Coordinates of all heavy atoms in Angstrom, one line a residue:
K568 N 150.6 -70.4 37.9 CA 151.7 -70.0 38.8 C 151.6 -70.8 40.1 O 152.4 -70.6 41.1 CB 151.6 -68.5 39.1 CG 151.9 -67.7 37.9 CD 151.9 -66.2 38.2 CE 152.2 -65.4 37.0 NZ 152.2 -63.9 37.3
G569 N 150.7 -71.7 40.2 CA 150.6 -72.6 41.4 C 149.8 -72.1 42.6 O 149.9 -72.6 43.7
N570 N 149.1 -71.0 42.4 CA 148.3 -70.4 43.5 C 146.9 -71.1 43.5 O 146.4 -71.6 42.5 CB 148.2 -68.9 43.3 CG 149.5 -68.2 43.4 OD1 150.3 -68.5 44.2 ND2 149.8 -67.3 42.5
Y571 N 146.3 -71.1 44.7 CA 145.1 -71.8 45.0 C 143.8 -70.9 44.8 O 143.9 -69.7 45.3 CB 145.0 -72.4 46.4 CG 146.2 -73.4 46.7 CD1 146.6 -73.6 48.0 CD2 146.8 -74.1 45.7 CE1 147.6 -74.5 48.3 CE2 147.8 -75.0 46.0 CZ 148.2 -75.2 47.3 OH 149.2 -76.1 47.6
Y572 N 142.8 -71.5 44.3 CA 141.5 -70.7 44.2 C 140.4 -71.8 44.1 O 140.6 -72.9 43.8 CB 141.4 -69.7 43.1 CG 141.4 -70.4 41.7 CD1 140.1 -70.5 41.0 CD2 142.5 -70.8 41.0 CE1 140.0 -71.1 39.8 CE2 142.4 -71.4 39.8 CZ 141.2 -71.5 39.1 OH 141.1 -72.1 37.9
W573 N 139.1 -71.3 44.4 CA 138.0 -72.1 44.4 C 136.9 -71.5 43.5 O 136.5 -70.4 43.8 CB 137.4 -72.3 45.8 CG 138.2 -73.3 46.7 CD1 137.8 -74.6 47.0 CD2 139.5 -73.1 47.3 NE1 138.8 -75.2 47.8 CE2 139.8 -74.3 48.0 CE3 140.4 -72.0 47.4 CZ2 141.0 -74.4 48.7 CZ3 141.6 -72.1 48.1 CH2 141.9 -73.4 48.7
G574 N 136.4 -72.2 42.5 CA 135.3 -71.7 41.7 C 135.7 -71.1 40.4 O 136.8 -71.2 40.0
E575 N 134.7 -70.4 39.8 CA 134.9 -69.8 38.5 C 134.9 -68.3 38.6 O 134.1 -67.7 39.4 CB 133.8 -70.2 37.5 CG 133.7 -71.7 37.3 CD 132.6 -72.1 36.4 OE1 132.2 -71.2 35.5 OE2 132.0 -73.2 36.5
L576 N 135.7 -67.6 37.8 CA 135.7 -66.1 37.8 C 134.6 -65.6 37.0 O 134.9 -65.1 35.9 CB 137.1 -65.6 37.4 CG 137.4 -64.2 37.8 CD1 137.5 -64.0 39.3 CD2 138.7 -63.7 37.1
K577 N 133.4 -65.7 37.4 CA 132.3 -65.3 36.6 C 131.7 -63.9 37.2 O 132.0 -63.5 38.3 CB 131.2 -66.3 36.7 CG 130.7 -66.8 38.1 CD 129.8 -67.9 38.0 CE 129.4 -68.4 39.4 NZ 128.5 -69.6 39.3
D578 N 130.8 -63.3 36.4 CA 130.3 -62.0 36.7 C 129.0 -62.2 37.5 O 127.9 -62.0 37.1 CB 129.9 -61.2 35.4 CG 131.2 -60.9 34.6 OD1 132.3 -60.9 35.2 OD2 131.1 -60.8 33.4
D579 N 129.2 -62.6 38.8 CA 128.1 -62.7 39.7 C 128.5 -62.0 41.0 O 129.6 -62.3 41.6 CB 127.8 -64.2 40.0 CG 126.5 -64.4 40.8 OD1 126.4 -63.7 41.9 OD2 125.7 -65.2 40.4

Side-chain angles (χ1 to χ4, degrees):
K568 295 181 179 180
N570 297 318
Y571 300 157
Y572 71 97
W573 282 257
E575 301 176 28
L576 197 65
K577 54 187 178 181
D578 296 333
D579 188 312

